[in-house]
Amino acid sequence: MATATSTPTTQSDRLHSYNPATGQSIGSVPIQTQAEVDAIVARARVASIAWSQRSFAARREELAAFRRAIAAHADALAELIHRENGKPEIEALTEVMMALSHIAHAGACAETALATHKVSSGVLANFRATVSYHALGVIGVIGPWNYPLFTPMGSISYALAAGNAVVWKPSELTPLVAVEVARIAAATFALPDLLQVVTGAGATGAALARSAVDKVAFTGSAATGKRVMMAAAERLTPVLLELGGKDPMIVAADADIAKAAEACVFGALTNAGQACISVERVYVEDKVYDRFVEEVVAQVRELKIGGDDGHLGPMTSPAQIAIVRDHLDDAVAKGAKVLTGGSAAISGAYIQPTVLTNVDHRMKVMTDETFGPVIPIARVASLDEAIRLANDTTFGLGSSVFGGKGVRGIAAKLRSGMTAINSVMAFSGIPSLPFGGIGDSGFGRIHGDEGIREFTRVKATAEQSFSLPINMMSFRQPADAVTKMRGMIKQLYGDGVVAKAGDLYRKLRG
Ligand code: NAD
């Protein structure tokens, strides 16, 4: 197994991307400066104006062509994701498929999600009130390395469908996937500057956050998210933050234990645990705890680590290996029991899937994002205790619950942006469901109608349809205006009187 040597290094003015399984460089990209980023954003601005003026149907057609082009390159893109990120081929292909589902959904649903609609005009009953949505202009998308295509596409496709141009800064660990997607985009869209990529490390990301973009959609760690927000604050640029998580899973005594264990093993270990919505901690009711742990351990022992067809690949980022090791050592020092894997079994870039028991909230592995192949399982005396512990976190991204009767009630009590019932992570694969978190997991939503509207400005229009005797937008009032106004207040908002605005205006009209 290879040693972890995939730290990006800069040689002259280029950034190298390394295969985490071998430590070999697989390509390099330029490190772009503030001036270069600004020039690219200016070109995107020109493209955004033309793109926003196209009809929904025209944009839908171009997004469909883009989707087909990405699908035609699915194998090559998956191969690049596999080599650059380290995930097994099947997971890389799944990632491409999920990215495609979002491009398809965003293109198909934008017109409905952004349709101008009438709303109640309330006390101003002589007005026609409408809400409309308009493209913001240029969206800066800053992406992570763990899902280098799927995650940014969750912002990019929705931003494009809403009529914006996009400038995308991929992670310095996985820039080649983005460069390839930008090449496909330039060859597909009639406007070659509609989706552009800027490359470099954090400084290039900061340059994009400081540039003249109209919104920044950031996915990454909470620490970097705060820096992005501060940089964007210079121009009061709005931000969307998709940050980390510490997703809990609850297993009730009446759950199907084999299925719950199978989902837990996948949810915690897919992409070697490097998913923002990984199952990061598990709470199991006392009655089924031993059986669940036994089942999880048995399934973990079946997994193949490494190789193109392995279940788990290498860790993408060497820095993350140190974090996982620290969490494991901290847990063991505080009394956790290691049933599989463990800190001593870490070899180069590979971490053996690790099942821990005897865990509690004094341990980092139960409170901080581990982002590695670790399954800490806690025994709970009741579902109330499980819910209390699941909500005992500063994060609030995803969550999952397995059980029979009452499972929806448990799900409703979980304080998170998303919950999967008798499954894990499923909400991320349903493009019509909004994706995002609360607390340290960030704010704003991608995917779904909310994810399309996230990349628009909302406009309120009030159109006067006819005049009333009292015009609140005028100094010219009839002599009895004060009396009429008092009457209105009483009728509309007074004790025990429920009057509809429509009835009132009929009365006032005479
Ligand atoms: P990271 O915060 O290190 O980097 C993310 C991106 O920010 C990279 O492109 C990086 O170059 C850029 N960046 C770094 N410094 C910057 C600065 N000062 N200004 C602007 N940009 C800067 O995150 P990561 O390690 O690449 O990704 C892992 C994290 O992402 C985990 O915490 C994970 O949970 C989270 N994540 C969240 C979601 C979600 O949707 N909520 C999805 C995937 C990953």
Side-chain angles (χ1 to χ4, degrees):
M1 279 174 193
T3 315
T5 52
S6 61
T7 311
T9 56
T10 57
Q11 285 167 16
S12 64
D13 56 350
R14 294 190 73 81
L15 176 85
H16 280 253
S17 175
Y18 294 90
N19 180 335
T22 63
Q24 301 299 310
S25 169
I26 50 173
S28 68
V29 292
I31 296 170
Q32 285 170 306
T33 61
Q34 182 78 58
E36 288 169 302
V37 170
D38 289 343
I40 285 168
V41 170
R43 289 215 304 273
R45 167 89 43 221
V46 176
S48 77
I49 294 164
W51 181 245
S52 70
Q53 286 164 356
R54 304 231 165 127
S55 67
F56 279 107
R59 290 204 294 256
R60 189 162 52 233
E61 222 166 272
E62 288 211 36
L63 280 165
F66 179 54
R67 186 202 70 222
R68 286 193 296 273
I70 296 283
H73 290 82
D75 284 342
L77 284 168
E79 171 63 17
L80 198 48
I81 294 171
H82 169 56
R83 284 193 293 137
E84 209 175 20
N85 162 284
K87 68 182 65 180
E89 279 172 347
I90 177 72
E91 292 200 0
L93 262 178
T94 307
E95 176 166 352
V96 175
M97 197 181 78
M98 284 173 63
L100 284 165
S101 79
H102 284 287
I103 301 171
H105 180 82
C109 297
E111 185 164 12
T112 310
L114 302 183
T116 300
H117 57 274
K118 263 181 83 179
V119 292
S120 155
S121 53
V123 69
L124 297 183
N126 54 329
F127 278 78
R128 180 178 184 270
T130 52
V131 178
S132 55
Y133 303 90
H134 308 268
L136 286 168
V138 181
I139 308 299
V141 173
I142 302 175
W145 46 262
N146 58 338
Y147 288 88
L149 178 65
F150 168 65
T151 296
M153 207 46 81
S155 294
I156 293 167
S157 52
Y158 292 81
L160 291 175
N164 303 280
V166 171
V167 178
W168 171 16
K169 207 300 277 178
S171 166
E172 53 273 38
L173 293 176
T174 52
L176 302 180
V177 177
V179 168
E180 181 57 10
V181 171
R183 191 193 62 73
I184 295 169
T188 311
F189 289 118
L191 299 159
D193 292 334
L194 192 61
L195 170 55
Q196 300 175 79
V197 162
V198 292
T199 50
T204 308
L208 185 58
R210 271 194 303 268
S211 74
V213 292
D214 299 285
K215 185 158 192 168
V216 178
F218 171 81
T219 307
S221 61
T224 312
K226 287 176 191 169
R227 286 198 283 276
V228 166
M229 215 171 155
M230 282 192 272
E234 284 177 29
R235 290 182 193 251
L236 275 183
T237 305
V239 293
L240 155 74
L241 299 182
E242 294 289 353
L243 310 176
K246 190 70 193 168
D247 289 9
M249 175 178 182
I250 293 179
V251 181
D254 58 353
D256 180 327
I257 298 304
K259 286 208 173 113
E262 185 182 347
C264 171
V265 170
F266 179 82
L269 304 182
T270 181
N271 202 20
Q274 305 167 112
C276 55
I277 50 167
S278 285
V279 171
E280 287 247 340
R281 51 203 172 104
V282 189
Y283 304 96
V284 187
E285 270 202 293
D286 187 38
K287 224 171 109 188
V288 291
Y289 179 83
D290 292 336
R291 197 147 55 88
F292 179 81
V293 170
E294 207 174 287
E295 188 71 45
V296 166
V297 168
Q299 291 190 28
V300 165
R301 292 217 163 104
E302 288 168 11
L303 300 176
K304 177 170 184 263
I305 319 302
D308 290 345
D309 63 343
H311 296 103
L312 272 78
M315 297 294 282
T316 311
S317 153
Q320 203 59 43
I321 300 170
I323 295 171
V324 177
R325 189 192 298 278
D326 174 51
H327 283 200
L328 295 180
D329 292 344
D330 171 73
V332 169
K334 289 171 182 162
K337 229 172 116 185
V338 180
L339 302 192
T340 66
S343 166
I346 296 175
S347 161
Y350 290 85
I351 299 179
Q352 298 298 315
T354 299
V355 179
L356 297 176
T357 53
N358 280 10
V359 288
D360 61 50
H361 282 213
R362 291 172 304 132
M363 302 169 184
K364 291 181 195 172
V365 81
M366 295 300 276
T367 56
D368 299 2
E369 189 178 44
T370 306
F371 222 56
V374 180
I375 314 179
I377 313 176
R379 187 194 291 272
V380 289
S382 67
L383 287 172
D384 282 345
E385 186 188 355
I387 293 164
R388 181 180 62 73
L389 289 170
N391 289 338
D392 177 27
T393 176
T394 57
F395 293 102
L397 195 55
S399 55
S400 55
V401 51
F402 271 77
K405 204 159 52 79
V407 79
R408 287 187 192 164
I410 302 167
K413 289 181 183 155
L414 293 174
R415 192 185 155 278
S416 63
M418 302 155 296
T419 301
I421 297 179
N422 289 330
S423 177
V424 285
M425 301 173 153
F427 40 75
S428 69
I430 299 176
S432 41
L433 281 178
F435 185 104
I438 53 173
D440 286 353
S441 296
F443 49 80
R445 292 294 180 267
I446 53 174
H447 308 175
D449 286 356
E450 290 82 353
I452 299 174
R453 292 187 193 129
E454 190 74 47
F455 298 107
T456 61
R457 61 186 164 83
V458 183
K459 181 161 186 186
T461 304
E463 178 187 338
Q464 188 163 196
S465 309
F466 54 87
S467 305
L468 289 178
I470 296 181
N471 178 2
M472 285 187 245
M473 268 59 72
S474 170
F475 289 121
R476 293 180 164 181
Q477 297 292 353
D480 60 350
V482 169
T483 314
K484 279 192 163 147
M485 188 65 81
R486 283 190 183 125
M488 271 174 78
I489 289 171
K490 234 180 178 173
Q491 276 194 293
L492 282 174
Y493 308 112
D495 272 354
V497 180
V498 182
K500 285 197 183 116
D503 296 342
L504 184 72
Y505 95 74
R506 269 189 292 278
K507 217 178 260 179
L508 287 170
R509 273 183 128 185

